[in-house]
Amino acid sequence: MNLWESFLVALDGIRANKLRSGLTTLGIVIGIAAVIAVVAIGQGGRALLLAEMEGLGTNMFAVHLDWRQDSLGELRTGREFTAQDLVAIRQVVPEISHLAPISARTAVVRGPRSQGAAQVVGTTGDYAEIRNLTVARGRFLAESDQAGGRRVAVLDGELAREIFGRQDPLGQRVTIHGVPVIVVGVLEEKKSLLDFLGMRYVYVPLRTWQYIFHEPAVIHQLEGATADREQVAEALQKTLAVLERRHDAPGRYIGSSLEQEMEIVGQATGIITLVVGAIAGISLFVGGVGVMNIMLVSVTERVREIGIRMVVGARRRDILVQFLIEAVVLCLLGGLVGVLIGVGGAMLIAKLANWPPLISWWTVLLAVVFSGAVGVFFGIYPANQAARLDPIEALRRE
Amino acid sequence: MIKAENLWKIYRSGTIEVQALRGVSLTVNTGEFVSVMGPSGSGKSTLLNILGCLDRPDAGTYLLNGRDVSGLNADALAAVRNRHLGFVFQNYNLLPRLDARRNVELPLVYAGVDSRSRRELALKALSRVGLADRADHLPTQLSGGQNQRVAIARALVNRPAVLLADEPTGNLDTRTSAEIMDIFRALNREGVTIVLVTHEREIAVYARRILHFRDGMLQRDEPVE
Ligand SMILES: Nc1ncnc2c1ncn2[C@@H]1O[C@H](COP(=O)(O)OP(=O)(O)OP(=O)(O)O)[C@@H](O)[C@H]1O
Ligand SMILES: [Mg+2]
């Protein structure tokens, strides 16, 4: 008897007990559907997050202070970065293409009619290059703004919309922390995943920032970018070395790069995938036990059929294959239905949450292959029980 | 065709030992029609199962078509049953979910015959037992006599050397029994070798020889004139 015949016979066996077969595979269906859906949503989220971070600029890095006290017990003052540091770093680290000092604080931004809270970022023109900011109207901060400590500001798109509505903000006056400034630029609105945080930004020249908040010479951190992604690590390391040497303060400065952070995101999603995989594995195991159980019932119920088949010439192998295929087909059907439900569920959730699902063909393939493997693993024992029956005894049983 | 010598079969359950066959020797020639008679428990079915390669003797030799089959393993015995033997049982032993034709095809499935030839051979076997028009009926849609005829067609379909029947009329009324026995007789006239187990003398006399069993032993070999 060839495999195709065995397959037809097995299919017949499943069809004879449709409801029971359906209920039996439920465990597999749910297991596979859960894996497919969660992996698809997870992959989609991860891809979105990484793309977003990439959009920020993968060749950027930041240097900030380790705010814990150092070994000398010296307190941080916020003056650990100096304007001269930037000049020195630019000279010593040729890999750096852009470098910007940054100070930031939340304050109320008041427009002619309405107001809103925003993160006020004091920086220089380089910041737009480092962060890949795109100007929709007007311009970003310029060198001359910084040098003259001009009272100008650039609003991000969302803030501009909230304060000015349809009005043109360019040339208008807003007050930041009570200090009036003129809007010279508006950034493009970003359709961002991270936007749910609702953070709004306004950019002013660093010297203006220091004036607004009465914090002369305070620089919170540095951000820089290299021309090439591969140079980031080296540039960061060199920058830290320069700072430590100039201030004779080893360990005071810490660096981070988007590259590192993306790696962490990648690792985190990897762990999530692993956990989901383990849960799915358990549910598939439970599903497999269910299939094994029902196959054992099926074998007992069909002892007579097995006996008859043996009498007319079925070898043990034929019986084994028949029941094994039945178990595998049962699991594969469960797997396929699970894939359909999982894909459908992922798409539904994605639609509701405005999140692109990422269904890779290998996830689907793996799920189907795995459910088939579950069938083999849990089907072999019942099938072997069937094949080991003695024809005479089988015929005698009712 | 069949040459069995000194067959022993002993069943043990715990300390109780049942000697179902105690040194049975017999020969059935090609084209013969032999009945086996005897009281209940005398070992008729045990003998038929051994002759039918469903069971193995504990001692003795069994030559089928000149080949010693008493030492074959399970799969080899399955192949022998499939190619050389046909079975008819008292309770028909048809698969309830398959129609008559597909029941008859069953031995051919395990013989590896392709589906078109299978259908042809099955329909031929069914018409031979007068059931050509019931090929797509399920066992539940057929009478006992008709089911037994399907079973005979199934036993015949692989052109076996020997047809073995264990009380094939046990579940049937007198008239239907006669019909079934007429089929056996006709088949025998066409050259099929038949060994038939029965309780009833009226059935046994369809054969040309009756083997009388008692307590696991062949007691008498009675020719029917
Ligand atoms: N599997 C078995 N285990 C134990 N004893 C058995 C087994 N099969 C048969 N026997 C015993 O062997 C003896 C012969 O049984 P067998 O079935 O051959 O009798 P039989 O002549 O066919 O009887 P009947 O006319 O009632 O069918 C009986 O005593 C029976 O109890
Ligand atoms: Mg009997």
Side-chain angles (χ1 to χ4, degrees), chain A residues 396, chain B residues 11 13 18 20 38-47 167 199:
Chain A
R396 207 174 278 148
Chain B
Y11 292 109
S13 42
V18 179
S40 187
S42 57
K44 307 183 296 293
S45 295
T46 306
L47 175 73
E167 306 194 30
H199 273 121

Side-chain angles (χ1 to χ4, degrees), chain A residues 5 12 304 309-310 312, chain B residues 82 91 93 97 110 118:
Chain A
E5 295 291 348
D12 201 55
R304 207 175 171 74
R309 287 180 183 278
M310 283 177 158
V312 301
Chain B
N82 186 248
N91 53 0
N93 277 337
R97 277 187 291 112
Y110 292 104
R118 251 174 17 215

Side-chain angles (χ1 to χ4, degrees), chain B residues 13-115:
Chain B
S13 42
T15 53
I16 307 161
E17 191 182 278
V18 179
Q19 300 185 333
L21 291 182
R22 301 193 287 161
V24 174
S25 300
L26 62 92
T27 306
V28 177
N29 293 315
T30 307
E32 258 200 298
F33 188 169
V34 177
S35 288
V36 178
M37 280 191 78
S40 187
S42 57
K44 307 183 296 293
S45 295
T46 306
L47 175 73
L48 207 72
N49 287 341
I50 290 172
L51 295 185
C53 291
L54 284 168
D55 207 352
R56 275 173 291 200
D58 294 318
T61 55
Y62 170 27
L63 300 184
L64 178 66
N65 256 341
R67 179 181 177 202
D68 187 358
V69 292
S70 42
L72 295 180
N73 68 15
D75 278 0
L77 287 178
V80 171
R81 289 196 297 273
N82 186 248
R83 307 286 154 127
H84 305 295
L85 301 169
F87 290 86
V88 181
F89 299 92
Q90 179 174 354
N91 53 0
Y92 329 130
N93 277 337
L94 299 174
L95 292 184
R97 277 187 291 112
L98 303 187
D99 63 22
R101 175 176 62 77
R102 298 225 287 149
N103 261 297
V104 174
E105 280 184 18
L106 215 53
L108 300 171
V109 169
Y110 292 104
V113 178
D114 69 89
S115 67

Side-chain angles (χ1 to χ4, degrees), chain A residues 2-11 14 295 319-331 383:
Chain A
N2 62 31
L3 275 181
W4 177 242
E5 295 291 348
S6 308
F7 177 75
L8 292 181
V9 171
L11 218 56
I14 292 171
M295 287 306 297
I319 301 294
L320 182 91
V321 168
Q322 175 190 333
F323 281 89
L324 198 55
I325 287 184
E326 191 169 319
V328 170
V329 168
L330 216 52
C331 289

Side-chain angles (χ1 to χ4, degrees), chain A residues 157-171:
Chain A
E158 291 84 353
L159 184 66
R161 180 160 45 80
E162 282 165 15
I163 292 181
F164 290 100
R166 290 194 178 173
Q167 240 184 342
D168 184 3
L170 285 190

